[in-house]
Amino acid sequence: MIYIMMVIHMLLKKAGKMKGKFILPLMLLMIFAGCSLFNFGLKLNTTHLDIPPNAGFIMSPSSGYITVIDTKGDSVVGRQEVAIRRGGKLENICDFLIHNGLLFVTLHDRQAFEKGSDVLRILDPVSGKVEESNVGWAPNGIFPVGENLAFVSTNLICYSDHNCYNYIYNLNTRKVIDTIAFEDALVDFAVSYGDTIIMDVKYIKADSASEYFVLYSKESGSIIATHIPLVDDDYANCAVIEGNNLYVGCTNHIAVFSLPDLTLKKEIYIPNNEEYHDNKNILFTHNKLYTTYFATGGYRKINIIDADTEEWIKAIDFPEGGARAIDYSLSLDKLFVASDTGGRIYKIDPNSDEIIDTINTIENGAFTVIHIKDEN
């Protein structure tokens, strides 16, 4: 800051010695440079927020805001804007994760129908300060894959080489440390198991589609296995690892794989889902699996699977608006579920699997991602 002020002072002294016609352009140049240096150009509606020790952060792409809640006090703390309207069109934010108190948000495109953005938008939810970090074309999903590492996926295939590019990103240095490209293929999720990143890769051709696991070694920085079969006649959407099991949320069922060899142990089918709604999130706690769904056709349930018996045991019914995103607070021993419409967050006791409270917000669109920050 001191250095910048010294430069401005020096330019002003020089401007005083110039002819008048040069002073205005110089001043305009200084103003634009200052805006760039201080990141004024983003024009985001952010503010200082007093974030409680137990907090939740919930994304609404349709509004461009992340809502902050007090998970212990069951109240709304405030909102921070992370997407901008440009020419009446809202930027497309897709996903985020929390690292060292900062929110790393994937900015897929800066305006609808553009070729795509190439940045993560980084929000300090306390101060409201926003920065940007370059990753690669059209970041979509962001997944924690080890200490200080994230896997950033894209869902656009380049016309020039038919590749879809994905990135291993260091959250501390804010640098891409490796790029992983798949020809005519998209990555839906990535999870970490020891040194290995397990990716779900969908290969898309004009007349067919197929899906496999691909394994990447963080130590060697290379692909170590490809085309490991996933499930037949179905598609995977999300996954969670518990112990030596990988639980994959598919359409109408959960596939259980043994680790590290990724052999299919069992497929757990969900009753009363005749429309075959796709899993959106899967979460493990209290020796149970909780699954949420993309809300289609009025399906408003979280299904619960017993991890010991690997069988469906029950479902939690939700009011209109359904249940789309889910996370767990270890310090409070509660689940928090974000609705697909209506701007509600439900608090659930995982011991009884009952809704015990509802937090209402001013949002009307879908909450697509929720992350809980526990008290240290």
Side-chain angles (χ1 to χ4, degrees), residues 228-240:
I228 301 171
L230 208 145
V231 289
D232 295 328
D233 303 320
D234 204 348
Y235 290 106
N237 300 295
C238 53
V240 65

Side-chain angles (χ1 to χ4, degrees), residues 34-279:
C35 288
S36 176
L37 288 166
F38 293 105
N39 209 24
F40 291 163
L42 288 176
K43 297 180 181 177
L44 288 162
N45 182 22
T46 61
T47 186
H48 173 86
L49 292 178
D50 293 322
I51 307 296
N54 296 92
F57 303 87
I58 312 98
M59 173 185 281
S60 175
S62 62
S63 72
Y65 279 84
I66 288 178
T67 297
V68 185
I69 61 170
D70 181 340
T71 53
K72 193 172 185 178
D74 299 336
S75 60
V76 175
V77 176
R79 309 195 297 167
Q80 301 284 29
E81 188 178 39
V82 288
I84 304 168
R85 290 195 178 275
R86 299 175 184 270
K89 297 175 182 178
L90 187 64
E91 294 176 324
N92 185 8
I93 52 173
C94 299
D95 197 5
F96 77 97
L97 62 71
I98 304 173
H99 177 72
N100 288 342
L102 300 176
L103 277 56
F104 289 74
V105 182
T106 59
L107 179 60
H108 186 267
D109 54 61
R110 294 187 180 276
Q111 185 166 299
F113 312 115
E114 280 189 350
K115 68 176 183 178
S117 163
D118 62 353
V119 301
L120 298 179
R121 195 161 275 167
I122 304 169
L123 167 70
D124 181 342
V126 177
S127 67
K129 179 183 177 182
V130 179
E131 300 175 279
E132 291 187 344
S133 172
N134 289 90
V135 280
W137 188 34
N140 185 51
I142 183 166
F143 309 93
V145 289
E147 188 176 2
N148 306 322
L149 291 180
F151 181 95
V152 181
S153 69
T154 63
N155 66 350
L156 290 180
I157 296 175
C158 295
Y159 289 112
S160 57
D161 58 9
H162 295 275
N163 279 336
C164 180
Y165 294 92
N166 307 276
Y167 309 96
I168 309 296
Y169 180 83
N170 188 306
L171 294 160
N172 284 345
T173 64
R174 302 184 185 180
K175 300 289 185 183
V176 172
I177 60 175
D178 202 0
T179 300
I180 304 171
F182 295 108
E183 185 175 351
D184 293 318
L186 307 175
V187 177
D188 261 6
F189 64 78
V191 291
S192 179
Y193 181 73
D195 173 60
T196 304
I197 297 175
I198 304 169
M199 293 170 278
D200 164 52
V201 182
K202 289 181 174 65
Y203 292 86
I204 303 167
K205 299 292 185 181
D207 56 351
S208 66
S210 55
E211 186 172 19
Y212 301 95
F213 288 126
V214 174
L215 307 185
Y216 174 92
S217 168
K218 288 179 277 187
E219 183 177 358
S220 66
S222 61
I223 300 291
I224 56 175
T226 64
H227 290 76
I228 301 171
L230 208 145
V231 289
D232 295 328
D233 303 320
D234 204 348
Y235 290 106
N237 300 295
C238 53
V240 65
I241 291 175
E242 181 63 30
N244 291 320
N245 286 329
L246 171 66
Y247 299 96
V248 178
C250 303
T251 300
N252 197 39
H253 75 281
I254 304 298
V256 187
F257 294 87
S258 295
L259 293 169
D261 55 356
L262 284 172
T263 55
L264 180 62
K265 287 175 58 179
K266 187 173 183 177
E267 293 181 77
I268 307 167
Y269 285 88
I270 308 298
N272 305 314
N273 185 9
E274 291 80 6
E275 299 299 325
Y276 296 95
H277 299 299
D278 291 336
N279 285 149

